[in-house]
């Protein structure tokens, strides 16, 4: 195994001593932290069981540290049962204590331990599924303010739990008066002072030795006070300053197989939602902390591997004790920030925790409850500072309000209510914000946009005169109930107007997707089109949309809806219908209407005739330099991606230039009639054709190669200059989209 080879190699390297030293410091910190968290979970009526609970949490620290040492993708990663899930389980344990008020102490302890095991099993299953199906990146899409609200609420609960650890009295509105009485205040005042002092020091000048140094000073100061006042350890324990009912030997096993009979499974199942919430918070915490470790260590971690590693640690904890956890950000960065990244660090930390777990139960008698509670309060202050204080500068006011509201709801009504409220607010905010993003990228009339098909001058004039009968919408983004509603209102307003368009074209090629509400909106547009006699043309609709529309709309409404592979095909179809109507009207009309059309088209026809005259004269002057070729209908002139090796003058008929993008069907990007140039740039330099030129009916073209143009520039500069002007006009028209 590579991990074992790494450990053996580090033991023989110069990094062994600093790595083991850092691991020992981290191990001591883990012991203190896990004892503090156990005191928070087993507080109030469960406080006499806190020492046994420490056996569970310390076993969890050993299990997770060993899992990291052997299987993590990052040498030096340290995992532990964490504070946010502990805050959830502490609230559940307090509720369970009320339900088990008359049960023996062993039954209460076994029932709370069973809930912790259930949370660990849920965490392991959740992490395995996320890792197996590579869903970690999807979880990252959880809205940032919701995550911040979770953590801020956890921080407040940690702070309240820390006060409960110090005093043995649950912190809340109903106990607020008791906290200002001296018998209770004498416990929490020194613990709060410790937490605030360390918090201020970490804020001013953070250092990895500051917290362990503060713990040592706090411990030394407490025992110096005991000596100064002549108070024995037993008297301090009787007075509530130390943990009570400590076992004589080790702290593990804290439970045996016989204890399973003491578990009140009905109570455990009643609090199963809290167990799942703790597992979910562990998932969020892992994603956040691993991201922070990647930034701090300047290297990427294998997210799926960390998921499986933590899942394995969770299964081990479910069998032996602990509650959900994940990698610790600050502890994991201790080694890399000082130049030592080694698997010996979590291994040494696990050894320290295991030593206390198996043989050092009496050591816990030295830790005062104000110090343990102060450490929990410090963790809560760090969360609150990050999200409720620092968040004021980092977040928008709306996002900050969501964070604060979630945090208050979690404290008042529990994590499940806060989670539900947060997700609901995030969805609502997303809908409001996305609804403001216009799905309509552009809107044009038929006078401003036309298909690529080549049409006679008179037909182009007729289409411009009927431009109001054709409306085109270019869509982009995701079409969901918010953005689709805005589109529906816009199209509905057009169709309800005094002179509604005959055809409404929606170019859907730019859509990323849609939901069923969008289908309902298109259905209502189809019904409106049916009522006004209009036709709804869907260009490049997303896969499945037309089928869903056909399944939901009536046959009468669907008769007014047509799908097309692309925008050009939809425009050509609509233009053909408009021209049919115009030609029919002209055939039935008298001379007055035809004269009116001639007057409208006179300037365009004259200009076109002049251009054709110059074009034909140039073709004659080119003479033998122009290689003439006749194409049958459907015959290819040149292919997409190839060099035509010259420009083609269309002398008779028409060419369609078809382009294929990706795996899609060919699309016509332009149509060229008599008097136009195909591939004009190919006469000047090497050129890659953007599409395939195909003859539409019998077509005659003349090719002027680059070599022939070069010879012409030498022999007949005036004719060559005229051809260059033709190329310039062709390129100018394409730049204008004509």
């Amino acid at each position: 195994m590579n991990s074992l080879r790494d450990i053996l190699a580090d033991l023989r390297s110069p990094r062994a001593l600093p790595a083991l030293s850092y691991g020992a410091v981290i191990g001591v910190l883990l012991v203190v932290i896990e004892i503090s968290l156990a005191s928070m979970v087993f507080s109030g009526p469960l406080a006499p069981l806190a020492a046994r609970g420490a056996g569970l949490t310390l076993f969890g620290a050993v299990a997770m540290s060993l899992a990291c040492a052997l299987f993590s993708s990052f040498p030096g990663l340290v995992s532990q049962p964490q504070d946010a899930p502990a805050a959830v389980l502490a609230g559940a344990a307090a509720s369970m204590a009320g339900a088990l008020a008359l049960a023996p102490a062993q039954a209460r302890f076994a029932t709370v331990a069973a809930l912790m095991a259930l949370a660990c099993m849920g965490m392991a299953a959740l992490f395995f599924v996320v890792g197996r199906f590579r869903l970690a990146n999807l979880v990252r899409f959880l809205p940032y303010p919701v995550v911040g609200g979770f953590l801020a609420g956890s921080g407040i609960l940690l702070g309240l739990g820390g006060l409960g650890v110090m005093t043995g009295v649950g912190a809340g509105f109903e106990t607020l008066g008791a906290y200002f009485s001296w018998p209770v205040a004498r416990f929490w005042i020194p613990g709060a002072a410790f937490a605030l002092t360390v918090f201020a020091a970490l804020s001013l000048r953070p250092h990895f030795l500051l917290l362990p140094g503060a713990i040592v000073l706090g411990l030394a100061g407490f025992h110096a006070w005991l000596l100064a006042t002549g108070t024995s350890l037993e008297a301090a324990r009787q007075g509530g300053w130390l943990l009570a009912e400590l076992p004589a030997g080790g702290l593990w096993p804290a439970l045996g197989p016989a204890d399973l009979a003491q578990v009140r499974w009905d109570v455990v199942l009643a609090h199963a939602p809290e167990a799942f919430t703790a597992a979910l918070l562990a998932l969020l915490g892992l994603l956040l902390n691993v991201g922070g470790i990647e930034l701090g260590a300047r290297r990427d971690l294998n997210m799926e591997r960390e998921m499986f590693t933590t899942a394995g640690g969770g299964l081990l904890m479910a069998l032996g004790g602990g509650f959900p956890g994940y990698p610790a950000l600050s502890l994991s960065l201790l080694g890399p920030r000082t130049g030592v990244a080694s698997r010996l660090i979590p291994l040494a930390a696990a050894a320290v925790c295991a030593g206390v777990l198996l043989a050092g139960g009496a050591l816990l008698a030295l830790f005062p409850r104000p110090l343990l509670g102060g450490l929990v309060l410090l963790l809560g202050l760090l969360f609150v500072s990050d999200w409720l204080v620092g968040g004021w500068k980092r977040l928008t006011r709306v996002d900050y309000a969501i964070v604060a509201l979630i945090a208050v709801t979690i404290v008042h009504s529990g994590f499940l209510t806060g989670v539900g409220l947060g997700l609901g607010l995030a969805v609502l905010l997303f809908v409001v914000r996305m609804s403001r993003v216009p799905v309509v990228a552009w809107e044009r009339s038929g006078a401003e946009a036309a298909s690529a098909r080549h049409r006679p001058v008179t037909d182009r004039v007729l289409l411009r005169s009927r431009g109001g009968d054709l409306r085109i919408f270019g869509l982009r983004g995701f079409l969901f109930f918010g953005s689709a509603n805005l589109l529906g209102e816009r199209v509905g307003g057009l169709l309800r107007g005094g002179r509604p368009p005959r055809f409404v074209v929606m170019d859907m090629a730019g859509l990323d997707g849609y939901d069923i509400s969008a289908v309902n909106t298109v259905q209502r547009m189809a019904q409106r089109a049916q009522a006004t006699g209009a036709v709804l043309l869907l260009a490049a609709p997303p896969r499945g949309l037309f089928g869903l529309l056909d399944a939901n709309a009536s046959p009468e409404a669907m008769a007014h809806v047509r799908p097309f592979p692309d925008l050009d095909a939809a425009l050509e179809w609509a233009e053909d219908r408009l021209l049919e109507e115009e030609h029919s009207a002209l055939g039935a009309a008298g001379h007055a209407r035809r004269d009116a059309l001639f007057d409208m088209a006179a300037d365009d026809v004259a200009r076109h005739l002049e251009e054709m005259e110059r074009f034909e004269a140039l073709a004659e002057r080119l003479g033998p330099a122009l290689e003439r070729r006749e194409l049958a209908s459907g015959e290819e002139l040149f292919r997409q991606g190839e060099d035509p090796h010259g420009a083609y003058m269309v002398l008779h008929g028409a060419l369609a230039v078809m382009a294929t993008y990706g795996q899609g069907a060919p699309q016509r990007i332009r149509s060229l009639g008599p008097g136009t140039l195909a591939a004009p740039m190919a006469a000047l330099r090497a050129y890659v054709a953007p599409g395939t030129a195909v003859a539409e009916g019998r077509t005659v073209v003349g090719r002027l190669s680059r070599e022939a143009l070069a010879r012409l520039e030498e022999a007949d500069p005036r004719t060559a200059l005229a051809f260059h002007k033709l190329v310039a006009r062709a390129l100018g028209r394409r730049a204008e989209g004509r």
Side-chain angles (χ1 to χ4, degrees):
M1 181 186 289
N2 292 335
S3 299
L4 291 177
R5 285 198 296 269
D6 291 344
I7 291 172
L8 293 175
D10 287 347
L11 282 173
R12 294 191 293 266
S13 72
R15 69 168 64 95
L17 183 58
L20 291 173
S21 301
Y22 290 148
V25 172
I26 290 173
V28 172
L29 288 174
L30 286 178
V31 169
V32 177
I33 291 171
E34 297 308 325
I35 293 172
S36 302
L37 295 180
S39 301
M40 183 178 71
V41 175
F42 293 90
S43 60
L46 299 175
L49 304 171
R52 293 183 62 187
L56 298 176
T57 57
L58 283 175
F59 178 84
V62 173
M64 298 199 76
S65 295
L66 285 177
C68 283
L70 296 176
F71 303 108
S72 174
S73 62
F74 178 63
L77 192 74
V78 178
S79 283
Q80 65 178 96
Q82 287 279 7
D83 36 28
V88 178
L89 294 176
S95 176
M96 296 169 76
L100 299 171
L102 301 179
Q106 183 61 23
R108 286 182 286 168
F109 181 77
T111 303
V112 174
L115 182 68
M116 294 166 61
L118 179 64
C120 289
M121 293 177 64
M123 180 194 77
L126 182 62
F127 280 31
F128 179 81
V129 170
V130 171
R132 172 65 179 80
F133 295 101
R134 300 180 181 272
L135 300 176
N137 288 331
L138 295 180
V139 181
R140 292 182 193 266
F141 286 106
L142 193 68
Y144 191 69
V146 177
V147 176
F150 291 162
L151 296 178
S154 300
I156 296 174
L157 291 182
L158 282 170
L160 295 176
L163 293 173
V165 171
M166 300 177 209
T167 62
V169 178
F173 288 110
E174 65 279 2
T175 60
L176 187 60
Y179 269 79
F180 289 97
S181 64
W182 178 247
V184 176
R186 64 195 180 104
F187 291 108
W188 68 262
I189 288 177
F194 169 81
L196 290 171
T197 302
V198 176
F199 174 78
L202 288 172
S203 301
L204 292 174
R205 192 169 184 178
H207 192 275
F208 70 92
L209 291 178
L210 199 154
L211 183 57
I215 293 173
V216 171
L217 288 177
L219 193 60
F222 173 76
H223 286 281
W225 175 75
L226 290 183
L227 288 175
T229 58
T231 306
S232 66
L233 289 177
E234 183 59 32
R237 185 176 296 109
Q238 294 296 327
W241 292 100
L242 298 170
L243 295 176
E245 298 186 15
L246 294 174
L251 300 171
W252 197 80
L255 284 171
D259 294 316
L260 292 176
Q262 301 284 335
V263 176
R264 285 280 303 275
W265 294 107
D266 57 327
V267 178
V268 173
L269 292 177
H271 291 84
E274 284 94 330
F276 179 76
T277 302
L280 180 61
L281 283 179
L283 176 61
L284 297 176
L286 181 142
L287 295 172
L288 290 171
N289 281 7
V290 167
I293 292 169
E294 288 178 331
L295 291 175
R298 295 182 175 86
R299 61 171 290 179
D300 292 334
L301 276 67
N302 187 324
M303 185 65 75
E304 282 73 30
R305 185 170 173 181
E306 299 309 325
M307 288 285 177
F308 290 133
T309 298
T310 311
L315 282 178
L316 189 58
M317 288 193 298
L319 298 175
F323 46 76
Y326 43 87
L329 178 60
S330 57
L331 299 183
S332 297
L333 289 177
L334 176 60
R337 283 177 175 173
T338 54
V340 179
S342 171
R343 297 185 186 276
L344 293 177
I345 294 176
L347 199 63
V352 172
C353 293
V356 175
L357 182 67
L358 297 176
L363 180 65
L364 301 184
L366 301 177
F367 285 91
R369 288 171 57 183
L371 181 62
L372 297 176
L375 189 57
V376 176
L377 177 60
L378 173 63
L379 296 173
L381 287 174
L382 293 173
F383 275 145
V384 170
S385 174
D386 283 343
W387 293 101
L388 292 182
V389 179
W392 182 257
K393 295 181 179 180
R394 298 198 316 269
L395 304 173
T396 66
R397 294 298 170 257
V398 174
D399 290 336
Y400 181 84
I402 292 176
V403 170
L405 186 58
I406 294 173
V408 171
T409 304
I410 287 174
V411 174
H412 182 267
S413 304
F415 271 94
L416 291 180
T417 306
V419 169
L421 175 65
L423 292 177
L425 287 174
V427 170
L428 179 62
L429 188 62
F430 173 79
V431 170
V432 171
R433 288 174 173 171
M434 287 300 296
S435 297
R436 294 175 180 173
V437 177
V439 72
V440 178
W442 51 266
E443 178 182 349
R444 296 170 188 163
S445 70
E448 301 167 310
S451 70
R453 180 176 178 179
H454 177 75
R455 298 188 184 276
V457 174
T458 53
D459 283 355
R460 296 202 296 268
V461 171
L462 286 172
L463 288 175
R464 284 202 302 270
S465 70
R466 294 287 300 272
D469 285 322
L470 179 58
R471 205 73 184 175
I472 309 106
F473 295 89
L475 309 184
R476 66 179 178 189
F478 189 85
L479 193 64
F480 74 112
F481 58 89
S483 56
N485 184 60
L486 295 177
L487 174 64
E489 290 179 357
R490 173 60 184 147
V491 174
L494 279 175
L495 295 176
R496 287 192 298 269
R499 189 174 181 274
R502 289 269 290 105
F503 302 99
V504 176
V505 182
M506 286 190 286
D507 182 12
M508 297 182 164
L511 288 180
D512 299 323
Y514 63 94
D515 66 1
I516 192 62
S517 299
V519 177
N520 178 259
T521 299
V522 178
Q523 177 185 343
R524 286 189 281 110
M525 286 191 282
Q527 293 168 350
R528 176 59 60 181
Q530 175 192 354
T532 59
V535 182
L536 192 63
L537 311 183
L538 307 182
R543 179 179 297 178
L545 186 144
F546 189 79
L548 288 172
L549 184 63
D550 190 37
N552 287 278
S554 66
E556 294 77 13
M558 288 303 297
H560 292 261
V561 183
R562 286 180 175 268
F564 293 89
D566 54 60
L567 176 61
D568 185 66
L571 291 176
E572 180 182 348
W573 187 89
E575 291 169 354
D576 287 344
R577 305 289 85 72
L578 291 174
L579 289 174
E580 286 175 6
E581 295 175 4
E582 286 296 318
H583 291 161
S584 176
L586 284 172
H591 294 290
R593 177 158 186 164
R594 288 194 291 272
D595 290 344
L597 174 61
F598 179 80
D599 290 339
M600 286 191 299
D603 291 340
D604 290 326
V605 170
R607 188 164 45 250
H608 177 70
L609 290 175
E610 290 176 4
E611 291 178 355
M612 285 299 299
E613 184 179 355
R614 288 196 300 268
F615 183 86
E616 291 171 358
L618 177 60
E620 289 295 329
R621 290 167 59 187
L622 288 173
L626 198 64
E627 304 171 19
R628 295 176 183 263
R629 177 180 173 186
E630 183 172 335
L631 304 172
S633 180
E635 185 177 351
E636 293 181 354
L637 180 61
F638 53 79
R639 298 186 62 82
Q640 181 177 351
E642 297 178 353
D643 186 350
H645 297 288
Y648 289 88
M649 300 176 69
V650 182
L651 306 174
H652 177 78
L655 292 173
V657 182
M658 311 294 293
T660 303
Y661 304 105
Q663 302 298 319
Q667 301 179 28
R668 183 177 58 193
I669 58 176
R670 93 179 36 93
S671 185
L672 304 170
T676 58
L677 278 181
M681 286 297 295
L684 308 179
R685 58 175 174 78
Y687 179 70
V688 177
T692 299
V694 182
E696 292 183 319
R698 175 182 170 275
T699 303
V700 179
V701 298
R703 173 175 172 267
L704 185 66
S705 67
R706 289 192 286 271
E707 295 79 6
L709 179 59
R711 290 193 297 269
L712 188 66
E713 289 170 347
E714 293 287 338
D716 189 355
R718 294 188 61 175
T719 301
L721 178 60
F723 184 81
H724 279 288
K725 289 180 178 179
L726 179 64
V727 170
R729 285 197 298 271
L731 294 176
R733 287 188 178 125
R734 292 188 186 178
E736 295 172 4
R738 291 157 49 189

